[in-house]
C-alpha cells in the first residue's frame, strides 16, 4: 500500500544532543511537509519542500533544518534540542500545495 | 489566513446521537478548506477538501458545509458510533499557506 512512513515512532534525546527524524513516502508526491504539534495545540507547519525547493516558515527557529535527498525521503534535523522542542512531529505529503495531505503516524520526541 | 478557530474544543456525545462542530476562519484570500480526522495512535486522515461557497460534501454518516463569505464550515456526524471518536481538524488554505485549527476532540459515549 502506498503510504507515508515515519521513523522512529518514539525518539528520546538529551538536551542539546542533535537528533534526526525520518520520513519516507511511496506516493511519489511533489510536496513533503514537516509539522510540529504540542499537546492540545494545532499542528504547526515548520517547512515544506516542493520538489527540491525548500520553503521555510518565517517563525521556524534556526535550530530546525530539513533535507530532502530525493523524492521519497525527507529528514528533520534538530541541531540542539531544547526542552521546549518536545512534541509530536508529523510528516505529510501532497501532490500540490492545494491538494489533500497524506500524513505519517508521527514521531513523538522526548527531550531529557 | 492567520486565525483558525474550532469549537467546541471537546465534545461528549451519546452513541447514536447526531452532532456537529464548527471551524471559523478569516474569509479573505480563501482558497480551500480541508477537514481531517485524527484517531489516537493513527495518522490524520483526510475527510474532505472544499473550495466553493455553499459546497456540501458527504462521506457515509459524515458531511460538511462551507460558507466562504462569512468564513465558517460545519462538520456533521449523524448517528455517532464509537469509531467516530477522534480529533477533527480543519485547515483552511489561503495565501499559499495552510493553517490548522486546534481541533475538536469528539468522545462517543456507549
Amino acid at each position: 500500500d502506498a503510504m507515508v512512513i515515519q521513523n522512529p515512532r518514539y525518539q528520546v534525546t538529551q538536551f542539546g544532543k542533535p537528533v534526526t527524524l525520518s520520513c519516507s513516502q511511496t506516493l511519489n508526491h511533489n510536496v513533503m511537509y514537516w509539522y510540529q504539534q504540542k499537546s492540545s495545540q494545532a499542528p504547526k507547519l515548520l517547512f515544506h519542500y516542493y520538489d527540491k525547493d525548500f520553503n521555510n516558515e518565517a517563525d521556524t527557529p534556526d535550530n530546525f533544518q530539513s533535507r530532502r535527498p530525493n523524492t521519497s525521503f525527507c529528514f528533520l534535523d534538530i541541531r540542539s534540542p531544547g526542552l521546549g522542542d518536545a512534541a509530536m512531529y508529523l510528516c505529510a505529503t501532497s501532490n500540490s500545495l492545494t491538494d489533500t495531505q497524506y500524513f505519517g503516524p508521527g514521531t513523538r520526541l522526548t527531550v531529557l | 489566513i492567520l486565525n483558525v478557530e474550532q469549537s467546541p474544543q471537546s465534545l461528549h456525545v451519546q452513541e447514536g446521537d447526531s452532532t456537529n462542530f464548527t471551524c471559523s476562519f478569516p474569509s479573505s484570500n480563501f482558497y480551500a478548506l480541508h477537514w481531517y480526522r485524527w484517531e489516537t495512535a493513527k495518522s490524520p486522515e483526510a475527510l474532505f477538501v472544499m473550495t466553493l461557497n455553499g459546497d456540501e460534501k458527504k462521506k457515509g454518516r459524515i458531511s460538511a458545509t462551507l460558507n466562504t463569505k462569512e468564513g465558517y464550515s460545519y462538520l456533521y456526524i449523524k448517528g455517532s458510533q464509537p469509531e467516530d471518536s477522534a480529533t477533527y481538524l480543519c485547515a483552511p488554505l489561503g495565501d499559499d499557506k495552510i493553517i490548522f485549527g486546534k481541533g475538536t476532540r469528539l468522545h462517543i459515549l456507549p
Side-chain angles (χ1 to χ4, degrees):
Chain A
D1 283 345
M3 57 199 315
V4 182
I5 302 162
Q6 289 189 247
N7 285 308
R9 293 291 306 273
Y10 300 91
Q11 175 74 57
V12 180
T13 191
Q14 289 179 325
F15 184 93
K17 185 174 180 183
V19 66
T20 294
L21 308 182
S22 165
C23 177
S24 64
Q25 56 139 339
T26 59
L27 297 159
N28 206 34
H29 281 166
N30 295 314
V31 192
M32 294 187 79
Y33 308 82
W34 279 104
Y35 291 89
Q36 179 194 62
Q37 200 225 9
K38 296 185 179 179
S39 182
S40 302
Q41 295 184 22
K44 179 182 176 300
L45 182 64
L46 296 172
F47 23 60
H48 74 270
Y49 271 94
Y50 196 119
D51 289 333
K52 295 180 182 178
D53 292 333
F54 178 69
N55 297 272
N56 199 28
E57 293 300 301
D59 55 355
T60 299
D62 291 340
N63 198 24
F64 291 85
Q65 304 285 319
S66 186
R67 297 170 283 136
R68 189 178 185 185
N70 54 53
T71 301
S72 302
F73 284 87
C74 194
F75 300 99
L76 170 62
D77 300 308
I78 309 177
R79 293 195 294 194
S80 181
L83 297 177
D85 296 328
M88 172 72 83
Y89 289 88
L90 291 165
C91 173
T93 73
S94 66
N95 217 19
S96 76
L97 291 174
T98 56
D99 279 347
T100 297
Q101 295 185 24
Y102 294 80
F103 285 84
T107 294
R108 170 79 61 190
L109 179 68
T110 300
V111 182
L112 301 176
Chain B
I1 289 183
L2 293 177
N3 206 22
V4 181
E5 299 285 341
Q6 288 191 249
S7 63
Q9 271 192 308
S10 182
L11 189 55
H12 290 78
V13 174
Q14 205 66 45
E15 183 178 347
D17 286 353
S18 297
T19 187
N20 64 83
F21 31 91
T22 309
C23 172
S24 302
F25 52 89
S27 53
S28 59
N29 299 322
F30 173 87
Y31 183 86
L33 182 95
H34 297 231
W35 278 103
Y36 292 88
R37 173 171 61 201
W38 193 1
E39 294 178 65
T40 303
K42 293 187 179 178
S43 312
E45 174 198 2
L47 288 173
F48 306 114
V49 180
M50 309 175 80
T51 54
L52 299 175
N53 185 44
D55 241 358
E56 285 189 39
K57 299 262 180 166
K58 190 173 158 104
K59 187 176 181 177
R61 293 179 292 99
I62 303 177
S63 59
T65 60
L66 178 66
N67 184 322
T68 60
K69 292 183 180 177
E70 295 182 40
Y72 64 84
S73 176
Y74 292 135
L75 191 83
Y76 300 90
I77 303 179
K78 188 176 174 183
S80 304
Q81 298 297 309
E83 60 264 30
D84 297 329
S85 294
T87 297
Y88 291 81
L89 297 167
C90 77
L93 172 68
D95 295 328
D96 289 332
K97 196 182 185 82
I98 193 165
I99 295 183
F100 280 83
K102 290 184 181 182
T104 291
R105 184 78 179 95
L106 177 65
H107 305 264
I108 305 301
L109 305 171

